[in-house]
Amino acid sequence: MKNIQVKDIVRECNGSLVFGNENIECINFSTDTRKIENGDVYVGLKGEKFDGSKFFKDALEKGAKVCILQNIEINDEIKNEYKDRAIIIVENTLKALQNIAKYKRSLYNIPVIAITGSVGKTSTKDMVASIVSTKYKTLKTEGNFNNHIGVPLTILRLKDEEAMVVEMGMSNLGEISLLTKIAKPTIAVITNVGTAHIGNLGSRENILKAKLEILEGLQKDGTVIINNDNDLLHKWQSENDNYKVITYGIENSSNYMATDIEYTEAGSKYKVNHNEEIEVPVKGEAFVYNSLSAVCVGKLLGVSEQDIAKGIKEFELSAMRLDIQKSEYGYTVINDCYNANYDSMKAALDCLSKMQGGRKIAVLGDMGELGEYATELHQKVGKVAAEDNVDILITVGTEAKQIAEAAKANGLEKIYSFDELKDAIDKIKKILAVNDIVLVKASHYMNFEEIVKAL
């Protein structure tokens, strides 16, 4: 275990030690006083509507050993009452958190796999971690900790791990640049370049530019793994020879290709370059691609064929991402309501279409951050729903009406549109029957988890 001390934090953050022992070891970090445990380091982040530094007394009362704060006066009463603790004042606690994580990362000479992409980041992260953990003790991003706060907190959880898998999300240019320079990956995986956040970035070309920022922190002898069937990544790879690149795909000739693909009742099955067989416990082409990128990582790290296959077969999806749940009433719910964009909608509908059972019901809602592309992309989802032979389509939200209209124009007949969640829930409950399969998907702000709870 490579712990850092108070004096390291003071040095790396150009901070001021108000009081306390500079040799105190800092092991566990938290930004939430509600989750503070005895001996933790509390970082008082400042947001638009809150100032975490103002709650430092709560952290101390709950046992925080060290507090990292900004713009706070510490009186003598606090110094006397908590003389066995330490308080550090910095100019900006968020930057301090990031600098501490960057320093912590520098102490470890281990494989660090960073994963980004418009869709599939989380499931790819889960598969990669499952494979890597068969050979190394592995730390991975938990939940949605993939941003400017989550990535540093993930790195600061490093203890005696021998490898780390980090997911990196973004909604604008410059965000992945920041994260990759903190994590300094030895392997960078780009799953695809789609349309997520296109309203912010303006074009898929700018989305590509944002994803490629991951290379800015890639270690000198690092490797890039890309989806060679993605048009923009394929073009980038063919025009660049500055990096060591491993490609994967189904259509375009790649280093690792999924061949002999079958979709079974249990999920998907394929061979890698016509050789070893891979079983994926989730249906759909998207998961073939995601698992194939994980295979590339495993091969690069010298994981055996048997352990690669085992890692994929036994991986578990993170919550609310194509989470298939069987109801006691005999129908199946596919909970994929963590977030949504065109590419992930298409992948989810593909998964639904390959499920075996009764009627296929798609409950779809608005997709956010699409800007001027909103109408076009919602209509494309409607066309996919019709082409995938959805039996019943239910939409909720203003933008989602475009999904319904396009689906109708492409031949889908049983369509219901609602403005309110409660009305949609009432309708779903009325029409559900034994063996039905229900996909529930929308952007997170639509609160579609309420639909899942109701079912």
Side-chain angles (χ1 to χ4, degrees), residues 113 115-132 140-144 146 165-168 189 191-192 248 280-295 297 311-323 335-336 338 343-344 347-348 351 441:
I113 303 98
I115 298 166
T116 193
S118 292
V119 65
K121 293 185 294 295
T122 302
S123 59
T124 299
K125 174 257 299 181
D126 291 332
M127 289 188 197
V128 168
S130 185
I131 287 174
V132 175
K140 73 169 183 176
T141 300
E142 297 293 346
N144 62 343
N146 66 2
V165 183
V166 185
E167 179 182 336
M168 294 183 178
V189 179
T191 62
N192 47 54
Y248 65 92
V280 189
V282 190
K283 292 179 186 290
E285 186 177 78
F287 285 89
V288 172
Y289 278 111
N290 296 344
S291 65
L292 198 52
S293 70
V295 169
V297 174
I312 292 175
K313 189 173 183 178
E314 296 179 357
F315 100 100
E316 295 181 3
L317 277 168
S318 294
M320 294 195 295
R321 291 166 171 89
L322 283 178
D323 182 10
N335 178 2
D336 196 25
Y338 178 75
D343 306 280
S344 63
C351 176
K441 186 165 181 64

Side-chain angles (χ1 to χ4, degrees), residues 178-194:
L178 169 71
L179 302 180
T180 190
K181 288 171 183 174
I182 296 171
K184 296 191 179 302
T186 58
I187 300 172
V189 179
I190 307 178
T191 62
N192 47 54
V193 177

Side-chain angles (χ1 to χ4, degrees), residues 315-335:
F315 100 100
E316 295 181 3
L317 277 168
S318 294
M320 294 195 295
R321 291 166 171 89
L322 283 178
D323 182 10
I324 300 173
Q325 305 167 8
K326 190 80 174 179
S327 163
E328 60 183 296
Y329 302 107
Y331 53 79
T332 299
V333 177
I334 305 174
N335 178 2

Side-chain angles (χ1 to χ4, degrees), residues 422-437:
K422 59 181 178 61
D423 296 327
I425 290 170
D426 289 342
K427 184 64 180 179
I428 297 165
K429 286 183 173 180
K430 286 178 183 177
I431 65 174
L432 267 181
V434 173
N435 293 326
D436 282 350
I437 305 167

Side-chain angles (χ1 to χ4, degrees), residues 141-413:
T141 300
E142 297 293 346
N144 62 343
F145 273 42
N146 66 2
N147 63 7
H148 61 301
I149 297 172
V151 169
L153 285 173
T154 297
I155 294 169
L156 288 171
R157 286 171 45 220
L158 270 171
K159 292 182 173 63
D160 59 349
E161 287 84 5
E162 302 163 312
M164 181 167 61
V165 183
V166 185
E167 179 182 336
M168 294 183 178
M170 67 89 207
S171 57
N172 270 300
L173 289 165
E175 294 177 0
I176 289 179
S177 175
L178 169 71
L179 302 180
T180 190
K181 288 171 183 174
I182 296 171
K184 296 191 179 302
T186 58
I187 300 172
V189 179
I190 307 178
T191 62
N192 47 54
V193 177
T195 57
H197 311 297
I198 197 168
N200 296 342
L201 289 153
S203 68
R204 287 185 67 226
E205 286 71 23
N206 277 343
I207 295 172
L208 171 67
K209 185 177 178 182
K211 299 302 181 187
L212 289 174
E213 287 175 1
I214 199 170
L215 305 180
E216 293 175 19
L218 186 67
Q219 297 292 277
K220 185 178 178 182
D221 297 321
T223 302
V224 190
I225 297 172
I226 65 162
N227 178 347
N228 201 32
D229 287 348
N230 182 267
D231 57 343
L232 293 183
L233 288 173
H234 177 77
K235 183 173 184 291
W236 171 81
Q237 188 270 334
S238 66
E239 296 173 351
N240 287 272
D241 56 5
N242 298 328
Y243 299 92
K244 188 194 303 180
V245 179
I246 293 176
T247 59
Y248 65 92
I250 297 173
E251 298 170 5
N252 292 326
S253 178
S254 305
N255 297 117
Y256 295 99
M257 299 192 68
T259 60
D260 311 290
I261 300 172
E262 296 177 41
Y263 297 105
T264 66
E265 188 172 347
S268 309
K269 191 190 317 184
Y270 65 91
K271 291 182 179 179
V272 180
N273 297 341
H274 298 288
N275 293 315
E276 66 263 35
E277 189 169 86
I278 300 293
E279 291 182 48
V280 189
V282 190
K283 292 179 186 290
E285 186 177 78
F287 285 89
V288 172
Y289 278 111
N290 296 344
S291 65
L292 198 52
S293 70
V295 169
C296 293
V297 174
K299 295 278 190 181
L300 191 58
L301 294 179
V303 180
S304 70
E305 291 181 2
Q306 292 81 4
D307 283 342
I308 288 174
K310 180 176 182 285
I312 292 175
K313 189 173 183 178
E314 296 179 357
F315 100 100
E316 295 181 3
L317 277 168
S318 294
M320 294 195 295
R321 291 166 171 89
L322 283 178
D323 182 10
I324 300 173
Q325 305 167 8
K326 190 80 174 179
S327 163
E328 60 183 296
Y329 302 107
Y331 53 79
T332 299
V333 177
I334 305 174
N335 178 2
D336 196 25
C337 56
Y338 178 75
N339 221 332
N341 53 64
Y342 168 70
D343 306 280
S344 63
M345 281 278 199
K346 186 174 183 294
L349 286 165
D350 176 55
C351 176
L352 176 65
S353 73
K354 291 179 169 63
M355 294 284 287
Q356 296 176 350
R359 297 178 303 175
K360 295 176 173 59
I361 302 172
V363 185
L364 308 179
D366 292 357
M367 301 180 291
E369 297 185 340
L370 299 180
E372 63 184 277
Y373 297 89
T375 297
E376 174 192 345
L377 293 173
H378 281 88
Q379 288 176 347
K380 285 179 72 174
V381 170
K383 186 172 184 290
V384 171
E387 291 172 347
D388 279 348
N389 298 314
V390 168
D391 294 298
I392 301 172
L393 173 64
I394 297 173
T395 69
V396 186
T398 304
E399 299 283 3
K401 287 184 172 67
Q402 299 286 345
I403 297 176
E405 290 176 11
K408 184 177 181 180
N410 282 276
L412 207 162
E413 296 179 356

Side-chain angles (χ1 to χ4, degrees), residues 23 55 73-74 80 90 92 120 158 185 258 338 346 394 403 424 445:
N23 295 315
F55 300 102
E73 291 289 334
I74 307 299
N80 292 328
V90 297
N92 183 300
L158 270 171
Y338 178 75
K346 186 174 183 294
I394 297 173
I403 297 176
Y445 68 87

